[in-house]
Amino acid sequence: MHRLHAPHNQPSGDESPAEAVATTRRALIGTAAGLGAAALVAPGVVLHTLSAQAETAPITNKSRWGLLIETDKCAEGCRACIEACDHEHGLDRQVPEGSPSKWEQQKAVWIRKVKLQDNQTGRITQLPLMCQHCEHPPCVDVCPTGASFKRADGIVMVDRHLCIGCRYCMMACPYKARSFIHHNTTGQLTAVPRGKGCVESCNLCVHRRDYGQDSTACADACAATGHHAILFGDLKDPESPIRRRMREIQNRQIREDLGLNTGVRYAGI
Amino acid sequence: MAKATVMAILAAGLVMGAFAYAKAAEIKRYVVDGSQAAGLPSCVEPTERMRRMHMEFIKHQRIATVHQGIRDTKYSLAGCVDCHVSYDAQHSPRPINQPDQFCGACHRYASVKLDCFDCHAAVPKGLDGDQASRADGLTQGGGR
């Protein structure tokens, strides 16, 4: 009896010695690579060099990508993030079809600018609203083909090869974040294939993730305008800029009551 | 008599040789000079295997790419386009799915519908090319 239980009673460290060595070595290699790159080229160029390397290993759950949006810095009337997103994913390359009003209602939109007003105080808040990259995404629950899925690194996206365009996910999404492509598409970008009959939404610039770039188009554009309202980063890394900022300021999920644990957090609402 | 036979065999050989040359040229027409394919004796797999199995290769590649983020390009569709697209007199690429192009011609011959390029770019762009296309806007739409 005691012998049976003995292994459980033995004190065990968080990780075995072999794992500890591996972790240390990884950290060392990371530091060495970083130092080498920094020694050779200027900071701006490091980014570019990294961007050329395609990922060859499967992504892991070691990171979870997310956004922190500071709504008090989001300016009224500014559409920089939306335009950058459209540009990055080729949404602005669409030729309008049908009547203008129908096109306006039905064209794909990955980021919506939402204006909130507190009726009691009159306080107005601006916020960009995109796919919230839930930990427990309702769109994935309802998808009948498995096209809606969550990657290991927390990015919720659509496998368009499997999508049959039923739009259950659009109905299930509490954030109205998904769009359906109604028309034939032209001039798609190599990194962002998209076509008629599929649902799509913000994918946290997944091609940038896979090519080792460390930002999203919207965050870049927002920083370029000087607002710095959108911060992209790894929610699992305690030392990442996004986590540090989240420690500093009050932030929350939209519709926290749904318990979805979203990857996009908002400050100032 | 023997001489005539030898001549005939030689002539036949010449004709066959010319035919093989023409055939090779016809195939080479679909390989971009200086591309990865131009330097290889066959594609990423032997030609016969590619003809039979390319959709299987692409299908596995697509699952690895979309779900696991692996952008290793051995069987990538963008790779097919990069090496096998052809260019017109103005050096602008012709969509690879047109019925007289690499993918399109074979698919038409085999009467197999080709849906890939409803969504994927049918002309080579790559990541740098994507940047250029974004800058171009709609002036040089190349998808279909």
Side-chain angles (χ1 to χ4, degrees):
Chain A
M1 185 76 175
H2 279 284
R3 271 234 296 275
L4 265 178
H5 283 278
H8 297 282
N9 296 336
Q10 281 173 0
S12 64
D14 281 334
E15 50 188 41
S16 68
E19 274 171 346
V21 169
T23 316
T24 321
R25 199 167 60 188
R26 255 201 310 277
L28 271 177
I29 292 169
T31 319
L35 281 175
L40 283 173
V41 281
V45 189
V46 174
L47 250 180
H48 190 73
T49 320
L50 282 175
S51 73
Q53 286 177 349
E55 202 58 61
T56 53
I59 44 157
T60 63
N61 59 2
K62 288 204 168 57
S63 43
R64 184 185 177 203
W65 303 115
L67 296 169
L68 173 64
I69 295 164
E70 297 178 41
T71 54
D72 50 345
K73 294 182 182 172
C74 182
E76 183 164 7
C78 174
R79 288 176 49 85
C81 57
I82 300 170
E83 280 161 14
C85 178
D86 286 358
H87 202 53
E88 179 77 17
H89 301 102
L91 303 185
D92 58 353
R93 299 169 67 80
Q94 286 286 275
V95 185
E97 271 183 52
S99 67
S101 62
K102 212 167 198 176
W103 169 250
E104 277 305 312
Q105 284 166 19
Q106 296 193 334
K107 69 179 177 184
V109 174
W110 289 18
I111 305 178
R112 285 184 298 135
K113 193 86 181 269
V114 173
K115 194 179 194 176
L116 301 174
Q117 182 171 12
D118 185 328
N119 284 339
Q120 211 156 19
T121 60
R123 178 186 149 91
I124 289 176
T125 318
Q126 303 275 337
L127 56 95
L129 192 72
M130 65 286 282
C131 171
Q132 302 287 300
H133 299 279
C134 313
E135 189 187 2
H136 312 291
C139 54
V140 174
D141 289 345
V142 299
C143 179
T145 65
S148 260
F149 71 103
K150 191 178 69 159
R151 289 202 338 169
D153 57 2
I155 299 178
V156 176
M157 54 192 273
V158 181
D159 183 347
R160 295 162 204 256
H161 303 109
L162 304 178
C163 180
I164 54 169
C166 72
R167 288 165 267 183
Y168 282 9
C169 57
M170 292 175 72
M171 292 293 111
C173 178
Y175 305 104
K176 203 180 170 186
R178 290 205 157 172
S179 297
F180 182 74
I181 310 177
H182 289 267
H183 303 295
N184 286 322
T185 49
T186 50
Q188 290 94 328
L189 306 169
T190 301
V192 195
R194 54 192 299 270
K196 182 179 175 179
C198 290
V199 171
E200 61 181 15
S201 60
C202 161
N203 55 19
L204 286 177
C205 291
V206 73
H207 54 284
R208 291 192 180 206
R209 300 292 74 70
D210 293 345
Y211 286 102
Q213 291 174 317
D214 60 355
S215 68
T216 58
C218 56
D220 280 355
C222 191
T225 58
H227 295 130
H228 296 278
I230 306 179
L231 192 57
F232 169 81
D234 182 1
L235 300 176
K236 276 193 181 170
D237 176 7
E239 292 314 310
S240 66
I242 188 170
R243 274 287 295 275
R244 254 181 274 150
R245 190 74 184 131
M246 284 168 85
R247 272 200 297 274
E248 283 167 16
I249 57 169
Q250 171 88 22
N251 62 85
R252 54 177 291 202
Q253 309 170 42
I254 299 181
R255 292 299 307 269
E256 279 165 341
D257 54 322
L258 297 173
L260 303 173
N261 188 12
T262 59
V264 181
R265 302 298 173 98
Y266 292 85
I269 55 168
Chain B
M1 185 66 185
K3 201 173 178 180
T5 314
V6 169
M7 287 296 282
I9 290 169
L10 271 179
L14 272 177
V15 169
M16 288 292 283
F19 180 71
Y21 179 77
K23 193 81 182 161
E26 175 66 14
I27 292 164
K28 278 285 174 195
R29 187 167 83 78
Y30 289 121
V31 177
V32 176
D33 285 337
S35 68
Q36 191 192 1
L40 293 173
S42 65
C43 198
V44 286
E45 297 287 343
T47 307
E48 286 308 312
R49 207 164 135 71
M50 282 309 289
R51 287 198 183 131
R52 176 68 61 188
M53 302 280 291
H54 62 282
M55 62 292 181
E56 294 296 325
F57 297 144
I58 292 172
K59 208 188 284 178
H60 290 299
Q61 168 84 40
R62 97 186 183 194
I63 289 166
T65 302
V66 177
H67 292 259
Q68 301 180 318
I70 300 173
R71 304 266 175 165
D72 181 22
T73 53
K74 186 169 182 193
Y75 298 126
S76 84
L77 193 65
C80 306
V81 175
D82 279 346
C83 290
H84 295 293
V85 77
S86 56
Y87 292 83
D88 62 15
Q90 283 79 45
H91 296 289
S92 48
R94 306 190 53 201
I96 200 166
N97 57 335
Q98 283 183 358
D100 60 339
Q101 296 302 311
F102 181 70
C103 295
C106 205
H107 272 251
R108 193 171 77 153
Y109 178 76
S111 191
V112 179
K113 200 162 171 249
L114 178 57
D115 286 335
C116 305
F117 300 101
D118 287 0
C119 294
H120 286 274
V123 293
K125 285 179 178 162
L127 284 187
D128 296 335
D130 275 359
Q131 293 293 349
S133 318
R134 287 183 190 117
D136 278 357
L138 282 170
T139 51
Q140 268 201 354
R144 282 153 63 93

PDB file of all heavy atoms in Angstrom, chain A residues 17 26 47 51 72 75 83 104 106 114 138 161 195 199 206 210 212 215 254 269:
ATOM      1  N   PRO A  17      15.521  17.667 -14.394  1.00  0.00           N
ATOM      2  CA  PRO A  17      16.814  18.296 -14.711  1.00  0.00           C
ATOM      3  C   PRO A  17      17.013  18.446 -16.212  1.00  0.00           C
ATOM      4  O   PRO A  17      17.507  19.468 -16.685  1.00  0.00           O
ATOM      5  CB  PRO A  17      17.827  17.318 -14.106  1.00  0.00           C
ATOM      6  CG  PRO A  17      17.091  16.572 -13.052  1.00  0.00           C
ATOM      7  CD  PRO A  17      15.668  16.525 -13.481  1.00  0.00           C
ATOM      8  N   ARG A  26      17.810  26.884 -24.339  1.00  0.00           N
ATOM      9  CA  ARG A  26      16.976  27.682 -25.250  1.00  0.00           C
ATOM     10  C   ARG A  26      17.139  29.155 -24.967  1.00  0.00           C
ATOM     11  O   ARG A  26      17.326  29.963 -25.871  1.00  0.00           O
ATOM     12  CB  ARG A  26      15.508  27.290 -25.089  1.00  0.00           C
ATOM     13  CG  ARG A  26      14.982  26.444 -26.225  1.00  0.00           C
ATOM     14  CD  ARG A  26      13.485  26.506 -26.318  1.00  0.00           C
ATOM     15  NE  ARG A  26      12.802  26.251 -25.058  1.00  0.00           N
ATOM     16  CZ  ARG A  26      12.550  25.036 -24.597  1.00  0.00           C
ATOM     17  NH1 ARG A  26      12.922  23.987 -25.266  1.00  0.00           N
ATOM     18  NH2 ARG A  26      11.911  24.881 -23.444  1.00  0.00           N
ATOM     19  N   LEU A  47      14.289  43.377 -37.655  1.00  0.00           N
ATOM     20  CA  LEU A  47      12.911  43.034 -37.950  1.00  0.00           C
ATOM     21  C   LEU A  47      12.774  42.487 -39.356  1.00  0.00           C
ATOM     22  O   LEU A  47      12.175  41.458 -39.595  1.00  0.00           O
ATOM     23  CB  LEU A  47      12.047  44.298 -37.843  1.00  0.00           C
ATOM     24  CG  LEU A  47      11.083  44.372 -36.676  1.00  0.00           C
ATOM     25  CD1 LEU A  47      10.315  45.658 -36.730  1.00  0.00           C
ATOM     26  CD2 LEU A  47      10.156  43.186 -36.668  1.00  0.00           C
ATOM     27  N   SER A  51      11.719  38.763 -40.761  1.00  0.00           N
ATOM     28  CA  SER A  51      10.482  38.621 -41.520  1.00  0.00           C
ATOM     29  C   SER A  51      10.639  37.677 -42.697  1.00  0.00           C
ATOM     30  O   SER A  51       9.674  37.117 -43.191  1.00  0.00           O
ATOM     31  CB  SER A  51      10.007  39.981 -42.007  1.00  0.00           C
ATOM     32  OG  SER A  51      10.845  40.417 -43.054  1.00  0.00           O
ATOM     33  N   ASP A  72      -8.998  55.447 -24.283  1.00  0.00           N
ATOM     34  CA  ASP A  72      -8.871  56.896 -24.107  1.00  0.00           C
ATOM     35  C   ASP A  72      -7.866  57.490 -25.094  1.00  0.00           C
ATOM     36  O   ASP A  72      -7.851  58.706 -25.315  1.00  0.00           O
ATOM     37  CB  ASP A  72      -8.476  57.230 -22.660  1.00  0.00           C
ATOM     38  CG  ASP A  72      -7.283  56.426 -22.195  1.00  0.00           C
ATOM     39  OD1 ASP A  72      -6.957  55.440 -22.879  1.00  0.00           O
ATOM     40  OD2 ASP A  72      -6.695  56.771 -21.157  1.00  0.00           O
ATOM     41  N   ALA A  75      -8.680  58.021 -31.073  1.00  0.00           N
ATOM     42  CA  ALA A  75      -9.235  59.320 -31.446  1.00  0.00           C
ATOM     43  C   ALA A  75     -10.509  59.184 -32.264  1.00  0.00           C
ATOM     44  O   ALA A  75     -10.635  58.266 -33.080  1.00  0.00           O
ATOM     45  CB  ALA A  75      -8.200  60.105 -32.237  1.00  0.00           C
ATOM     46  N   GLU A  83      -8.091  51.085 -41.984  1.00  0.00           N
ATOM     47  CA  GLU A  83      -7.512  51.172 -43.324  1.00  0.00           C
ATOM     48  C   GLU A  83      -6.277  50.294 -43.455  1.00  0.00           C
ATOM     49  O   GLU A  83      -6.070  49.630 -44.474  1.00  0.00           O
ATOM     50  CB  GLU A  83      -7.180  52.640 -43.650  1.00  0.00           C
ATOM     51  CG  GLU A  83      -8.425  53.404 -44.088  1.00  0.00           C
ATOM     52  CD  GLU A  83      -8.273  54.910 -43.981  1.00  0.00           C
ATOM     53  OE1 GLU A  83      -7.133  55.378 -43.819  1.00  0.00           O
ATOM     54  OE2 GLU A  83      -9.307  55.601 -44.054  1.00  0.00           O
ATOM     55  N   GLU A 104     -22.160  48.496 -49.204  1.00  0.00           N
ATOM     56  CA  GLU A 104     -21.750  49.059 -47.919  1.00  0.00           C
ATOM     57  C   GLU A 104     -22.143  48.146 -46.764  1.00  0.00           C
ATOM     58  O   GLU A 104     -21.415  47.994 -45.797  1.00  0.00           O
ATOM     59  CB  GLU A 104     -22.369  50.447 -47.719  1.00  0.00           C
ATOM     60  CG  GLU A 104     -21.593  51.571 -48.383  1.00  0.00           C
ATOM     61  CD  GLU A 104     -20.131  51.625 -47.952  1.00  0.00           C
ATOM     62  OE1 GLU A 104     -19.878  51.569 -46.740  1.00  0.00           O
ATOM     63  OE2 GLU A 104     -19.245  51.698 -48.823  1.00  0.00           O
ATOM     64  N   GLN A 106     -22.672  44.858 -46.969  1.00  0.00           N
ATOM     65  CA  GLN A 106     -22.234  43.466 -47.046  1.00  0.00           C
ATOM     66  C   GLN A 106     -20.742  43.268 -47.209  1.00  0.00           C
ATOM     67  O   GLN A 106     -20.264  42.145 -47.115  1.00  0.00           O
ATOM     68  CB  GLN A 106     -22.948  42.773 -48.219  1.00  0.00           C
ATOM     69  CG  GLN A 106     -24.444  42.687 -48.022  1.00  0.00           C
ATOM     70  CD  GLN A 106     -25.080  41.751 -49.014  1.00  0.00           C
ATOM     71  OE1 GLN A 106     -24.552  41.550 -50.096  1.00  0.00           O
ATOM     72  NE2 GLN A 106     -26.204  41.186 -48.648  1.00  0.00           N
ATOM     73  N   VAL A 114     -16.443  51.396 -32.944  1.00  0.00           N
ATOM     74  CA  VAL A 114     -17.688  51.447 -32.189  1.00  0.00           C
ATOM     75  C   VAL A 114     -17.638  52.622 -31.224  1.00  0.00           C
ATOM     76  O   VAL A 114     -16.618  52.890 -30.607  1.00  0.00           O
ATOM     77  CB  VAL A 114     -17.901  50.126 -31.414  1.00  0.00           C
ATOM     78  CG1 VAL A 114     -19.089  50.223 -30.485  1.00  0.00           C
ATOM     79  CG2 VAL A 114     -18.090  48.975 -32.374  1.00  0.00           C
ATOM     80  N   PRO A 138     -17.302  30.765 -29.160  1.00  0.00           N
ATOM     81  CA  PRO A 138     -18.612  30.215 -29.543  1.00  0.00           C
ATOM     82  C   PRO A 138     -18.673  29.840 -31.017  1.00  0.00           C
ATOM     83  O   PRO A 138     -19.353  28.883 -31.404  1.00  0.00           O
ATOM     84  CB  PRO A 138     -19.588  31.367 -29.259  1.00  0.00           C
ATOM     85  CG  PRO A 138     -18.861  32.300 -28.373  1.00  0.00           C
ATOM     86  CD  PRO A 138     -17.420  32.138 -28.658  1.00  0.00           C
ATOM     87  N   HIS A 161     -10.742  26.243 -46.553  1.00  0.00           N
ATOM     88  CA  HIS A 161     -10.874  25.004 -47.315  1.00  0.00           C
ATOM     89  C   HIS A 161     -12.059  24.199 -46.809  1.00  0.00           C
ATOM     90  O   HIS A 161     -12.652  23.414 -47.550  1.00  0.00           O
ATOM     91  CB  HIS A 161      -9.617  24.160 -47.195  1.00  0.00           C
ATOM     92  CG  HIS A 161      -8.366  24.875 -47.637  1.00  0.00           C
ATOM     93  ND1 HIS A 161      -7.410  25.290 -46.765  1.00  0.00           N
ATOM     94  CD2 HIS A 161      -7.946  25.245 -48.864  1.00  0.00           C
ATOM     95  CE1 HIS A 161      -6.431  25.880 -47.429  1.00  0.00           C
ATOM     96  NE2 HIS A 161      -6.736  25.882 -48.717  1.00  0.00           N
ATOM     97  N   GLY A 195     -11.891  34.149 -50.726  1.00  0.00           N
ATOM     98  CA  GLY A 195     -12.785  33.984 -51.853  1.00  0.00           C
ATOM     99  C   GLY A 195     -14.243  33.913 -51.451  1.00  0.00           C
ATOM    100  O   GLY A 195     -14.577  33.739 -50.276  1.00  0.00           O
ATOM    101  N   VAL A 199     -16.605  32.634 -44.670  1.00  0.00           N
ATOM    102  CA  VAL A 199     -16.647  33.605 -43.579  1.00  0.00           C
ATOM    103  C   VAL A 199     -15.216  33.957 -43.218  1.00  0.00           C
ATOM    104  O   VAL A 199     -14.311  33.137 -43.367  1.00  0.00           O
ATOM    105  CB  VAL A 199     -17.390  32.987 -42.379  1.00  0.00           C
ATOM    106  CG1 VAL A 199     -17.276  33.864 -41.157  1.00  0.00           C
ATOM    107  CG2 VAL A 199     -18.845  32.777 -42.737  1.00  0.00           C
ATOM    108  N   VAL A 206      -2.102  36.661 -39.084  1.00  0.00           N
ATOM    109  CA  VAL A 206      -1.487  35.351 -38.845  1.00  0.00           C
ATOM    110  C   VAL A 206      -0.262  35.120 -39.731  1.00  0.00           C
ATOM    111  O   VAL A 206       0.686  34.446 -39.317  1.00  0.00           O
ATOM    112  CB  VAL A 206      -2.558  34.247 -39.020  1.00  0.00           C
ATOM    113  CG1 VAL A 206      -2.902  34.051 -40.471  1.00  0.00           C
ATOM    114  CG2 VAL A 206      -2.127  32.961 -38.381  1.00  0.00           C
ATOM    115  N   ASP A 210       3.539  33.893 -38.553  1.00  0.00           N
ATOM    116  CA  ASP A 210       4.275  32.758 -39.095  1.00  0.00           C
ATOM    117  C   ASP A 210       5.588  33.178 -39.744  1.00  0.00           C
ATOM    118  O   ASP A 210       6.465  32.347 -39.944  1.00  0.00           O
ATOM    119  CB  ASP A 210       3.406  32.007 -40.109  1.00  0.00           C
ATOM    120  CG  ASP A 210       2.220  31.345 -39.428  1.00  0.00           C
ATOM    121  OD1 ASP A 210       2.241  31.231 -38.192  1.00  0.00           O
ATOM    122  OD2 ASP A 210       1.270  30.959 -40.124  1.00  0.00           O
ATOM    123  N   GLY A 212       7.425  35.529 -38.374  1.00  0.00           N
ATOM    124  CA  GLY A 212       8.277  36.027 -37.301  1.00  0.00           C
ATOM    125  C   GLY A 212       8.253  37.528 -37.091  1.00  0.00           C
ATOM    126  O   GLY A 212       9.126  38.063 -36.416  1.00  0.00           O
ATOM    127  N   SER A 215       4.306  42.335 -34.811  1.00  0.00           N
ATOM    128  CA  SER A 215       3.250  43.330 -34.638  1.00  0.00           C
ATOM    129  C   SER A 215       2.098  42.989 -35.566  1.00  0.00           C
ATOM    130  O   SER A 215       2.180  42.067 -36.357  1.00  0.00           O
ATOM    131  CB  SER A 215       3.773  44.723 -34.965  1.00  0.00           C
ATOM    132  OG  SER A 215       4.037  44.793 -36.351  1.00  0.00           O
ATOM    133  N   ILE A 254     -14.763  42.748 -23.072  1.00  0.00           N
ATOM    134  CA  ILE A 254     -16.132  43.115 -23.406  1.00  0.00           C
ATOM    135  C   ILE A 254     -16.996  41.877 -23.206  1.00  0.00           C
ATOM    136  O   ILE A 254     -16.604  40.784 -23.616  1.00  0.00           O
ATOM    137  CB  ILE A 254     -16.227  43.604 -24.868  1.00  0.00           C
ATOM    138  CG1 ILE A 254     -15.356  44.834 -25.038  1.00  0.00           C
ATOM    139  CG2 ILE A 254     -17.656  43.902 -25.251  1.00  0.00           C
ATOM    140  CD1 ILE A 254     -15.395  45.419 -26.409  1.00  0.00           C
ATOM    141  N   ILE A 269     -12.978  51.447 -20.433  1.00  0.00           N
ATOM    142  CA  ILE A 269     -14.415  51.296 -20.685  1.00  0.00           C
ATOM    143  C   ILE A 269     -15.074  50.687 -19.445  1.00  0.00           C
ATOM    144  O   ILE A 269     -14.417  50.089 -18.624  1.00  0.00           O
ATOM    145  CB  ILE A 269     -14.749  50.417 -21.907  1.00  0.00           C
ATOM    146  CG1 ILE A 269     -14.097  49.039 -21.793  1.00  0.00           C
ATOM    147  CG2 ILE A 269     -14.324  51.100 -23.185  1.00  0.00           C
ATOM    148  CD1 ILE A 269     -14.619  48.056 -22.815  1.00  0.00           C
TER     149      ILE A 269
END
